């Protein structure tokens, strides 16, 4: 809640580095399965870091902010195909490219019939061992398993992204 991330030296039992780039409390973290990198999420942004020194790498940029609609990211997961998932307390689901930081897809989770719309929140997420299916635990007391759309093509789901040429300082 103090908006910091601490990297620990377990042998010495003390903090090696304290990352202070977030302005609000850090709510989620995800480790990349094959790289020495990780990401952290707060209500205002998502940041990527390099291990073990904690060097800042980039911010993730979405067309409508971190969640699109004012939600707070509660869950993150990354697979070996460099896809990062974020799930928010308002049911917003974001899929991000790990290498560029671009949000290439955003959807909203549907609540179970009979549940309130306020129970759309996503509390936890993880990719299975193959990295092809996403498993989420949600506020409507469901566990959902998601898979990639086999019918999706660049024509049906065009990528409209232009990276910003300005280097922002954070």
């Amino acid at each position: 809640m103090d908006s910091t991330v601490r990297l620990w030296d377990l042998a010495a039992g003390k903090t090696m580095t304290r990352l202070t780039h977030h302005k609000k409390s850090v709510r989620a973290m995800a480790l990349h399965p094959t790289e020495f990198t990780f990401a952290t999420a707060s209500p205002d942004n998502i940041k990527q870091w390099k291990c073990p020194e904690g060097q800042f790498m980039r911010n993730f940029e979405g067309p409508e902010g971190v969640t699109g609609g004012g939600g707070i990211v509660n869950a993150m997961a990354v697979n070996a195909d460099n896809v990062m998932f974020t799930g928010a307390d308002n049911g917003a689901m974001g899929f991000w490219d790990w290498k560029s930081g671009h949000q290439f897809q955003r959807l909203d989770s549907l609540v179970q019939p009979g549940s309130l719309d306020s129970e759309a929140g996503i509390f936890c997420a993880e990719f299975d061992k193959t990295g092809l299916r996403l498993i989420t635990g949600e506020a409507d007391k469901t566990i959902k398993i998601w898979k990639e759309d086999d019918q999706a093509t660049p024509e049906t789901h065009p990528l409209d992204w232009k990276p910003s040429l300005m280097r922002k300082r954070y």
Side-chain angles (χ1 to χ4, degrees):
M1 296 305 283
D2 66 354
S3 72
T4 64
V5 177
R6 293 174 187 255
L7 303 179
W8 289 81
D9 180 347
L10 296 178
K14 63 181 182 177
T15 303
M16 283 184 351
T17 307
R18 190 170 142 206
L19 309 175
T20 60
H21 290 64
H22 285 287
K23 292 179 180 72
K24 297 182 180 179
S25 63
V26 177
R27 301 291 300 258
M29 186 180 103
L31 294 168
H32 192 283
T34 59
E35 296 179 1
F36 290 110
T37 55
F38 66 98
T40 56
S42 67
D44 56 346
N45 55 36
I46 300 170
K47 297 182 179 295
Q48 186 180 44
W49 310 88
K50 186 176 179 190
C51 290
E53 65 274 2
Q55 178 184 1
F56 174 76
M57 293 175 67
R58 76 174 46 85
N59 276 326
F60 286 81
E61 298 178 12
E64 301 172 16
V66 175
T67 60
I72 297 172
V73 174
N74 284 327
M76 296 174 74
V78 183
N79 68 12
D81 293 330
N82 295 318
V83 174
M84 182 177 74
F85 166 81
T86 56
D89 64 351
N90 63 355
M93 299 171 57
F95 293 89
W96 308 77
D97 177 41
W98 186 260
K99 296 294 184 188
S100 67
H102 169 66
Q103 184 180 26
F104 61 86
Q105 187 175 8
R106 186 197 173 284
L107 359 136
D108 291 314
S109 180
L110 300 173
V111 296
Q112 181 178 4
S115 297
L116 302 172
D117 286 340
S118 62
E119 295 177 328
I122 299 170
F123 290 145
C124 58
E126 191 66 48
F127 283 98
D128 69 352
K129 292 291 182 190
T130 66
L132 300 175
R133 288 178 294 275
L134 175 71
I135 304 162
T136 59
E138 304 191 12
D140 63 352
K141 301 179 185 129
T142 59
I143 296 172
K144 296 178 182 164
I145 302 174
W146 305 82
K147 71 178 186 105
E148 186 177 349
D149 184 1
D150 297 329
Q151 307 300 318
T153 65
E155 290 78 31
T156 61
H157 294 81
L159 182 60
D160 184 29
W161 177 60
K162 294 169 186 68
S164 65
L165 299 176
M166 287 187 71
R167 196 87 154 116
K168 297 177 187 172
R169 190 158 186 190
Y170 299 98

